[in-house]
Amino acid sequence: MCFHNSLTATVAEVEQRFEATNKTKQADFEPVYHGNGFDFPVWPVITAQAPKSIQLFQWGLVPRWVKTKEEAEEMRANTLNAKAETLGEKPSFKYALREAQRCLIPSTGFFEWQTVGKNKYPYYIRLRNQPIFAMAGLWESWHNPAYPDDIWNTFSIITTEANPLMARIHNTKQRMPLLLLPGSESLWLQKDLDTAALNEIARPLDDSLMEAFTVGRLVSHRTANSNVPEVTNPYAYPELSQQQLSLF
DNA sequence: CCAGACGTTGTT
DNA sequence: GTCTGG
DNA sequence: CCAGACGTTGTT
DNA sequence: GTCTGG
């Protein structure tokens, strides 16, 4: 869940939304209409350690104890997401959690598939009143022992149980990204967040704040370039009932 | 004890 | 680095 | 889902 | 043809 994200905002918009300054080497971001986690794209993030800065980290968390580049590359396909419920137990995430290496991952909407019979229908999901919002993440800085200058700053998107809207869409896994209300964003970045507070924040967002609609199957095509504006165009599947087409 | 895992959920 | 499975 | 692998044994 | 990896 949550391997398919988007960020179609300018640097200025992200700066304004999160009250942070662009510290990347890029004057602006390329809009991401469809970012596939398995491509391990770089993404703007805001860390607890530098909450006033926008940095570019790579999606797919590489734990600090990884020994080789090969192991790092293998690991990250499995750490695109991190289950909120078990962050403290998993060797891949526990050190990042212990040292409060939490972060915000700006998004303008994400994709998920609904299984109906033998078919899969892609949906685009976003927040009603917030064009840009934050997913909760953990980050790590991995230093390649073979090359001291080879440092990988990576992140993982936290997932939690699905709310009723997301349970209908992502009906096989019943999971969703941990979405933060603006009021929870600064809490997530606080360094001394205890377990009770974390568990309180790590709850599924109220689905009355979200909206979702079916999109065309371009997003599902691996060979085609799906990182184009049309990927989020609404598309009505005749065989789906009206209530499934648009979940507002 | 040592070796091996360490993780999550994907699709026209 | 630490836990798990054999 | 699609792309790519799919296997074994050796020597100069 | 079928399994695996991404």
Side-chain angles (χ1 to χ4, degrees):
Chain A
M1 164 69 224
C2 207
F3 296 146
H4 302 267
N5 209 349
S6 72
L7 184 64
T8 55
T10 64
V11 160
E13 288 166 340
V14 175
E15 284 184 320
Q16 185 174 20
R17 170 62 179 75
F18 294 100
E19 295 173 352
T21 306
N22 177 28
K23 295 290 172 59
T24 74
K25 288 172 182 162
Q26 303 181 18
D28 201 353
F29 315 132
E30 289 297 318
V32 182
Y33 302 103
H34 171 216
N36 183 337
F38 288 105
D39 294 334
F40 314 107
V42 292
W43 207 274
V45 300
I46 295 139
T47 67
Q49 286 66 26
K52 293 295 169 196
S53 299
I54 296 167
Q55 306 177 72
L56 283 181
F57 284 12
Q58 199 171 10
W59 193 357
L61 183 145
V62 177
R64 59 190 65 184
W65 42 259
V66 163
K67 293 174 190 69
T68 65
K69 183 180 170 211
E70 288 69 29
E71 201 186 343
E73 287 172 342
E74 264 180 53
M75 184 65 59
R76 60 189 182 162
N78 297 319
T79 53
L80 295 169
N81 293 166
K83 291 181 76 168
E85 296 91 325
T86 54
L87 293 179
E89 303 160 19
K90 301 295 182 183
S92 291
F93 303 122
K94 62 191 292 185
Y95 306 102
L97 183 72
R98 189 182 290 170
E99 291 175 30
Q101 296 189 170
R102 290 184 296 272
C103 62
L104 304 178
I105 298 119
S107 172
T108 47
F110 59 98
F111 300 87
E112 199 51 71
W113 281 259
Q114 183 181 45
T115 305
V116 180
K118 289 177 186 167
N119 295 318
K120 299 260 181 187
Y121 297 93
Y123 284 73
Y124 187 61
I125 302 114
R126 60 192 182 193
L127 296 196
R128 283 172 172 284
N129 299 316
Q130 286 187 76
I132 306 171
F133 55 93
M135 295 177 175
L138 283 181
W139 69 273
E140 271 281 22
S141 189
W142 179 69
H143 295 238
N144 184 345
Y147 301 95
D149 294 338
D150 189 22
I151 295 169
W152 297 22
N153 290 317
T154 58
F155 68 90
S156 183
I157 293 177
I158 313 280
T159 66
T160 186
E161 61 181 295
N163 63 25
L165 169 71
M166 287 306 303
R168 288 177 59 197
I169 297 172
H170 194 27
N171 49 5
T172 52
K173 295 297 178 184
Q174 310 264 307
R175 303 287 300 171
M176 63 181 272
L178 179 51
L179 306 178
L180 300 172
L181 284 174
S184 302
E185 289 165 8
S186 55
L187 269 178
W188 181 251
L189 295 185
Q190 271 178 18
K191 296 217 173 131
D192 53 354
L193 191 72
D194 62 25
T195 309
L198 188 146
N199 290 339
E200 187 55 37
I201 295 171
R203 299 172 61 80
L205 191 73
D206 186 333
D207 63 3
S208 67
L209 302 172
M210 299 163 66
E211 60 186 21
F213 51 87
T214 50
V215 295
R217 288 210 156 102
L218 175 61
V219 66
S220 307
H221 273 271
R222 205 156 73 160
T223 45
N225 175 22
S226 58
N227 188 23
V228 292
E230 308 86 81
V231 74
T232 53
N233 284 355
Y235 178 82
Y237 294 85
E239 67 273 29
L240 283 185
S241 69
Q242 201 55 44
Q243 67 162 4
Q244 279 170 312
L245 299 180
S246 177
L247 302 166
F248 283 85

